[in-house]
Each structure stands twice: as structure tokens, then as C-alpha cells.
Amino acid sequence: MSKNTSFYDENELNEINKLSTILLTTAEQAEWQSMLQKAINHPDELLEDDKYSNYSALEDIFDEDQEEEDKLRLLFDIFCYANNVVIDIDWRGEEDDDQLSSFLAQRLNKMSPSFETHEVHARMNKYIEASELDNQQFDSSTDYFANKFSLLQKVMAEYNYKMGVLPVDYDSFPIFITSLEHAPLFEESSLIDFIPN
């Protein structure tokens, strides 16, 4: 497989680079750039590298039937899921009551190791319990989750972080976190949307 000269256009690359700044740690950004360069310059090596064996659907990117304009975004999505940068929450709600808070605590620790995972997790659970969210009536599980999302967003703000949601064409919310200093980039990026409160 030769160099993938049609893998992306400059505008798309700029958007993905902006998104990587928002979502990834410094180490993850370096790993992402390494993977991207392999995808562009040495796709065969990328597919044969054991380091990427848990990157599901990687072969699909190089499928001739794959739309060219989707390849870079798909590669970035695969990277994010493989590295637990984002979590998919079904539109109907969490698989279990702890799914989102567990992810947020682990991801916050990854972004800022001074925040202990178990302490953050306990604080989030305490905040949810104090809100008496579980004692309230909601029209749907989606409404319940939107309210829980808003509550956890307040906890994240106390750590100077914020949750965001990547827009997708299927029935789930791919949720990520980033520091508040990167919050202005949310409005600039066409790749990001939010769960309405």
C-alpha cells in the first residue's frame, strides 16, 4: 500500500488537530500524531503493528469503499475509543448508574494526575446523592440522564474541567472532558456539540 495522499484535506486536518488539543493529553497527542503519520505514509505498517491490534475497525479506513472525507475523522474516533478518551452513553441512559462518573474520574486523573480517581469518584457520587436526583420524577430516562449530566458538569467545573459531546449520527452521546482553558475552542470547532440542559 503506497502513501495515502488523499487521506485528508487541510481544513479537515486543522479541525482534527484542534480537536486533539481539546481532548488529548500531551502524551496522547504525540501518540496520535505518530499513528496519523503511519496512516498517511506507511499504512501497511500501521495495520501490521501489534500496538494497534485493539483498535477496532482500523482496516475499514483503508477500504476502497470508505468515503475519502470520512477517513481522518474515523481514524481519530478509533484512536479516542481505543485510548478511553471518550465514552459512549446510550441516549436512553447509562448501562449502570456509575458508568459516567467512573469514566469522568478516571479521565480526570489521566488529564491531571494530582486528582485521585477514587476521591473524584466519591465526590461525584456524593454530589448526585445530595441532589436527590433518584427521588425525582422524569418523563424519560433521557431526561434523567440530561439532569445527571448537568449535575456532573458542575462537579467538573470545580476541577476546572468541562464535559463535551461529539456529534454523531447514531443514538449515543460520545462524552469527553477537557480543561476550561480550552473551552473557547468548543464554539470554534464545528465537530463539537453538547447535550442540552
Side-chain angles (χ1 to χ4, degrees):
M1 197 180 299
S2 59
K3 182 174 179 178
N4 216 346
T5 54
S6 62
F7 195 73
Y8 64 89
D9 63 43
E10 288 300 320
N11 289 334
E12 185 183 22
L13 181 61
N14 289 338
E15 285 293 328
I16 292 294
N17 282 338
K18 186 185 297 181
L19 197 56
S20 71
T21 300
I22 295 170
L23 271 66
L24 307 180
T25 65
T26 302
E28 288 167 345
Q29 287 184 51
E31 183 60 39
W32 158 246
Q33 288 300 323
S34 173
M35 182 181 177
L36 175 60
Q37 291 308 311
K38 277 192 176 182
I40 295 169
N41 298 305
H42 306 287
D44 285 332
E45 290 181 19
L46 177 68
L47 293 174
E48 294 167 5
D49 194 330
D50 288 341
K51 181 166 66 172
Y52 304 111
S53 61
N54 69 324
Y55 284 48
S56 62
L58 198 54
E59 292 90 353
D60 294 348
I61 294 173
F62 304 102
D63 191 312
E64 292 180 2
D65 295 331
Q66 180 67 39
E67 294 289 335
E68 291 293 337
E69 63 267 18
D70 294 337
K71 290 185 177 184
L72 180 59
R73 178 56 192 268
L74 180 57
L75 182 68
F76 187 70
D77 286 350
I78 289 170
F79 177 88
C80 287
Y81 282 106
N83 288 279
N84 298 314
V85 174
V86 297
I87 184 172
D88 262 341
I89 304 289
D90 189 86
W91 68 272
R92 291 166 294 195
E94 301 167 281
E95 291 177 5
D96 61 68
D97 290 341
D98 217 26
Q99 187 182 10
L100 181 56
S101 57
S102 292
F103 165 76
L104 294 175
Q106 291 169 11
R107 189 65 191 155
L108 190 58
N109 174 258
K110 181 88 172 182
M111 301 285 276
S112 296
S114 62
F115 298 135
E116 294 288 342
T117 303
H118 67 280
E119 291 177 3
V120 173
H121 193 201
R123 187 174 181 181
M124 288 180 175
N125 287 340
K126 188 175 180 180
Y127 195 88
I128 294 296
E129 287 172 14
S131 74
E132 298 189 353
L133 187 68
D134 290 334
N135 296 329
Q136 299 176 40
Q137 296 293 319
F138 297 97
D139 291 336
S140 68
S141 57
T142 305
D143 290 341
Y144 170 85
F145 179 68
N147 278 271
K148 185 173 185 179
F149 183 95
S150 297
L151 288 170
L152 291 175
Q153 190 75 284
K154 292 175 183 175
V155 179
M156 293 299 293
E158 294 175 8
Y159 292 100
N160 290 316
Y161 276 80
K162 185 172 187 173
M163 286 185 284
V165 181
L166 300 175
V168 291
D169 294 329
Y170 48 91
D171 294 333
S172 67
F173 299 120
I175 296 172
F176 65 90
I177 72 167
T178 192
S179 64
L180 289 180
E181 70 178 282
H182 288 136
L185 294 175
F186 292 161
E187 286 72 36
E188 295 175 23
S189 177
S190 62
L191 296 176
I192 297 177
D193 201 356
F194 295 100
I195 295 176
N197 294 330

